[in-house]
């Protein structure tokens, strides 16, 4: 089991944290200050360090810096004071794996620790990924198993989550899966696509308004934050949100309270926030179009959904899944996908990811006149792409054949015998079977070519 070093100057906190972690099955040691922590970390091979930012004498930040110099691969989590986002940013920049704010929410702490250890491969992901609930997420590639394992780990807390990935990779599906895996599953899952709402209406969408707040506001209306109370608020395309709105969202995330437009009553919502983006928000932060403090607030746990071309082994399962779905919807009987068509689907690079695959299979099902999807049912560009990829293979084969032309027949036979023997580790019975001759015939040829 993983070994954790807990560093805090307050005896009570050390006790509460270590008791809780021991109950969860971790081995825990504690240290009271920088010096003790450094001594222990030098002597023991810990899997993770959890330190308070504020320590007497040298700080948690100093400890972090020391650890990153001496033990760069050892993950460090830092507990920062409530509301001090600057500290959080500073520790993240200095290599902390994550940070927690006081008062520490034990569930959130556990999730962050498990997630960190999963990323560092201290915890096996197979345990969570290979069996059990998959939340309708099709695919068994290591990349998708890691996503499923993370969903299970993070679902139990309400830690904010940032889902990143190219368009069509399944970000919304993952967000929905986290909601269904969580205790909030019976409360609403409310989505807001920040790219689809005009900039000046987004505050209204999020926080709602009072009657008469603006022309046309004939009655009080709730925003998504209110609707999602005790459920999950999914903020899609968060990278498109204006900086002015980012400030308001940050305030809500920190304080958990908000006002409807023109409202005087302070309202509370404890919705869990999951944000998604197909942009690289770290780049947006550097460019100044996305607030750094909001980035760190949302990015408590990041789930990267891999592009389809990075998990091509999932293509057949996904293609058959969509085939069944659309054959059913269109009341067609289609029993499968022809090998060539499947190969064409596999060599393609899928810029539009799973959404594109889904569209192409739906189209093929509608077009299909047979009880099987054939190459002809796929878009022309995929057919061309496929024949190009085969063209290259063929020419390699042609070259190989061309090299054999003009060789004495006996030499060809010698090569064939030798290759078969090597392929079968010199087992004569199996090599003979490969060559479709008897073992006796093989012995004769081996003698002839001096291969005995
Ligand atoms: N692993 C999967 N198994 C089954 N269906 C999937 C999978 N991944 C994605 N899908 C389906 O593909 C479609 C696109 O997924 P989704 O809308 O979640 O992608 P997205 O990343 O949010 O895309 P965008 O960035 O364009 O909003 C959906 O219909 C979704 O159900
Ligand atoms: Mg989406």
């Amino acid at each position: 089991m993983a070994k954790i070093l807990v560093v805090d100057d307050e005896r009570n906190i050390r006790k509460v944290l270590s008791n809780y972690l021991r109950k969860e099955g971790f081995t825990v040691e504690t240290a009271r200050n920088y010096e003790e922590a450094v001594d222990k970390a030098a002597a023991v091979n810990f899997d993770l360090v959890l330190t308070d930012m504020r320590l007497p004498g040298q700080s948690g930040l100093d400890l972090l810096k020391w650890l990153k110099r001496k033990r760069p691969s050892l993950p460090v989590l830092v507990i920062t004071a409530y509301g001090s986002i600057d500290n959080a940013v500073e520790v993240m920049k200095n290599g902390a794996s994550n940070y927690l704010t006081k008062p520490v929410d034990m569930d959130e702490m556990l999730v962050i620790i498990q997630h960190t250890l999963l990323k560092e491969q201290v915890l096996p992901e197979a345990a969570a990924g290979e069996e059990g609930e998959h939340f309708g997420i099709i695919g068994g590639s290591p990349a998708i198993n890691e996503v499923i394992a993370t969903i299970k780990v993070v679902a139990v807390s309400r830690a904010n989550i940032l889902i990143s990935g190219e368009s069509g990779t399944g970000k919304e599906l993952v967000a929905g899966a986290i909601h269904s895996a969580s205790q909030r599953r019976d409360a609403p899952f409310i989505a807001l696509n920040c790219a689809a709402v005009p900039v000046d209406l987004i505050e209204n969408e999020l926080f709602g308004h009072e009657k008469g707040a603006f022309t046309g506001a004939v009655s009080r209306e709730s925003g998504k934050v209110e609707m999602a109370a005790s459920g999950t608020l999914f903020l899609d395309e968060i990278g498109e949100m204006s900086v002015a709105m980012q400030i308001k969202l940050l305030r809500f995330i920190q304080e958990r309270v908000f006002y409807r437009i023109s409202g005087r009553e302070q309202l509370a919502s404890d919705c869990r926030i999951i944000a998604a983006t197909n942009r690289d928000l770290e780049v947006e932060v550097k460019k100044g179009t996305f607030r750094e403090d909001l980035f760190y607030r949302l990015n408590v746990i990041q789930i990267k959904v891999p592009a389809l071309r990075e998990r091509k082994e999932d293509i057949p399962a996904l293609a058959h899944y969509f085939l069944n779905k659309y054959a059913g919807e269109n009341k067609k009987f289609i029993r499968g996908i022809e090998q060539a068509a499947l190969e064409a689907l596999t060599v393609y690079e899928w810029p539009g990811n799973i959404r594109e695959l889904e569209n192409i299979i739906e189209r093929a099902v509608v077009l299909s006149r047979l009880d099987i999807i054939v190459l002809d049912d796929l878009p022309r560009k995929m057919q061309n792409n496929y024949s190009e990829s085969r063209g290259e293979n063929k020419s390699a084969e042609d070259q190989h054949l061309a090299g054999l032309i003009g060789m004495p027949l006996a030499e060809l036979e010698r090569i064939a015998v030798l290759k078969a023997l090597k392929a079968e580790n010199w087992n004569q019975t199996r090599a003979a079977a490969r060559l479709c001759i008897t073992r006796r015939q093989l012995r004769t040829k081996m003698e002839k070519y001096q291969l005995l």
Side-chain angles (χ1 to χ4, degrees):
M1 231 319 152
K3 256 195 244 117
I4 299 181
L5 175 64
V6 172
V7 189
D8 201 304
D9 56 326
E10 279 176 58
R11 186 163 167 273
N12 260 339
I13 295 188
R14 283 198 307 274
K15 214 163 135 189
V16 170
L17 293 180
S18 49
N19 283 347
Y20 180 84
L21 292 172
R22 283 196 188 106
K23 228 175 52 222
E24 293 296 332
F26 295 102
T27 305
V28 183
E29 289 201 30
T30 61
R32 286 175 297 180
N33 52 36
Y34 176 93
E35 287 77 20
E36 254 187 50
V38 161
D39 283 350
K40 291 208 170 173
V44 181
N45 228 341
F46 290 103
D47 296 302
L48 186 142
V49 174
L50 175 65
T51 180
D52 193 2
M53 177 75 176
R54 218 206 54 213
L55 296 172
Q58 280 176 289
S59 71
L61 182 63
D62 296 322
L63 176 61
L64 170 69
K65 288 179 181 164
W66 185 89
L67 288 166
K68 284 293 126 182
R69 240 182 311 124
K70 301 289 176 183
R71 291 278 168 96
S73 66
L74 174 61
V76 181
L77 304 180
V78 182
I79 303 175
T80 62
Y82 172 76
S84 65
I85 191 73
D86 293 345
N87 275 341
V89 170
E90 197 173 6
V91 300
M92 294 304 284
K93 283 187 172 160
N94 279 286
S97 293
N98 218 326
Y99 69 94
L100 294 153
T101 32
K102 281 184 182 168
V104 174
D105 173 323
M106 292 290 171
D107 284 345
E108 181 169 335
M109 174 180 79
L110 181 63
V111 164
I112 290 177
I113 289 175
Q114 285 173 330
H115 178 67
T116 307
L117 295 175
L118 192 72
K119 269 201 309 202
E120 304 294 329
Q121 300 185 328
V122 177
L123 290 182
E125 73 200 32
E130 270 167 18
E131 48 196 54
E133 181 63 78
H134 279 205
F135 316 105
I137 299 175
I138 308 294
S141 58
I144 214 70
N145 276 343
E146 191 183 322
V147 170
I148 292 169
T150 308
I151 289 172
K152 290 180 185 172
V153 163
V154 300
V156 297
S157 87
R158 81 150 201 214
N160 295 338
I161 292 179
L162 181 64
I163 304 175
S164 64
E166 288 178 19
S167 169
T169 45
K171 297 185 293 297
E172 185 152 6
L173 186 69
V174 168
I178 294 168
H179 177 74
S180 341
S182 76
Q183 284 170 341
R184 297 169 177 259
R185 68 179 75 89
D186 296 325
F189 175 86
I190 304 283
L192 173 63
N193 186 336
C194 304
V197 181
V199 179
D200 47 341
L201 294 185
I202 199 144
E203 179 172 4
N204 183 44
E205 283 289 315
L206 262 181
F207 299 127
H209 62 254
E210 294 293 338
K211 180 175 174 176
F214 44 82
T215 343
V218 289
S219 61
R220 163 194 284 180
E221 253 172 62
S222 305
K224 307 245 167 176
V225 159
E226 214 173 321
M227 294 185 227
S230 74
T232 303
L233 177 64
F234 176 54
L235 298 173
D236 205 358
E237 316 269 14
I238 188 82
E240 312 301 314
M241 192 177 264
S242 71
V243 171
M245 200 58 221
Q246 288 172 29
I247 297 172
K248 293 186 177 168
L249 177 63
L250 178 66
R251 195 178 313 135
F252 167 67
I253 291 177
Q254 294 192 150
E255 313 291 336
R256 291 279 156 191
V257 292
F258 66 97
Y259 294 90
R260 297 192 195 104
I261 298 177
S262 303
R264 293 175 174 216
E265 191 189 349
Q266 193 180 58
L267 301 164
S269 165
D270 92 319
C271 60
R272 181 201 202 151
I273 293 179
I274 304 180
T277 178
N278 52 25
R279 297 195 185 198
D280 186 340
L281 281 192
E282 270 157 272
V283 171
E284 303 293 320
V285 166
K286 286 200 187 97
K287 282 199 307 202
T289 50
F290 202 85
R291 288 186 63 103
E292 188 172 46
D293 44 13
L294 179 61
F295 172 70
Y296 283 116
R297 278 290 182 219
L298 294 173
N299 194 36
V300 174
I301 285 171
Q302 183 165 152
I303 301 182
K304 288 201 167 96
V305 188
L308 187 53
R309 70 184 151 284
E310 292 160 16
R311 43 173 161 136
K312 286 197 161 181
E313 63 265 51
D314 288 342
I315 291 174
L318 282 162
H320 285 103
Y321 167 76
F322 292 128
L323 172 70
N324 287 335
K325 175 173 167 191
Y326 289 106
E329 278 182 19
N330 291 282
K331 301 202 168 45
K332 280 190 149 185
F333 175 75
I334 302 177
R335 65 189 160 83
I337 304 173
E338 172 202 53
Q339 187 59 30
L342 207 53
E343 278 167 27
L345 293 173
T346 313
V347 294
Y348 185 64
E349 289 295 300
W350 300 107
N353 293 294
I354 295 160
R355 190 194 310 289
E356 186 182 11
L357 174 63
E358 178 166 5
N359 292 340
I360 282 175
I361 299 291
E362 179 179 14
R363 179 178 171 278
V365 166
V366 172
L367 288 178
S368 165
R369 293 164 195 275
L370 308 168
D371 67 346
I372 190 161
I373 299 290
V374 295
L375 200 51
D376 243 5
D377 298 328
L378 301 180
R380 178 70 54 200
K381 64 172 181 195
M382 291 189 65
Q383 293 181 36
N384 293 342
N385 181 53
Y386 175 60
S387 44
E388 266 167 41
S389 77
R390 269 172 56 90
E392 281 159 24
N393 292 343
K394 222 189 208 143
S395 70
E397 206 170 278
D398 283 348
Q399 278 170 19
H400 186 60
L401 284 173
L404 298 177
I405 291 168
M407 228 187 240
L409 197 53
E411 180 58 15
L412 284 177
E413 189 171 73
R414 196 187 72 86
I415 292 172
V417 170
L418 188 60
K419 282 205 155 185
L421 283 164
K422 279 192 178 158
E424 292 299 350
N425 229 344
W426 295 84
N427 179 313
Q428 296 178 9
T429 312
R430 287 204 303 266
R434 247 181 204 257
L435 294 163
C436 302
I437 56 179
T438 64
R439 186 161 169 274
R440 269 182 76 113
Q441 286 171 320
L442 177 65
R443 299 270 313 173
T444 316
K445 289 187 197 296
M446 288 171 75
E447 265 164 42
K448 178 168 163 198
Y449 301 121
Q450 296 174 347
L451 294 171
L452 276 175

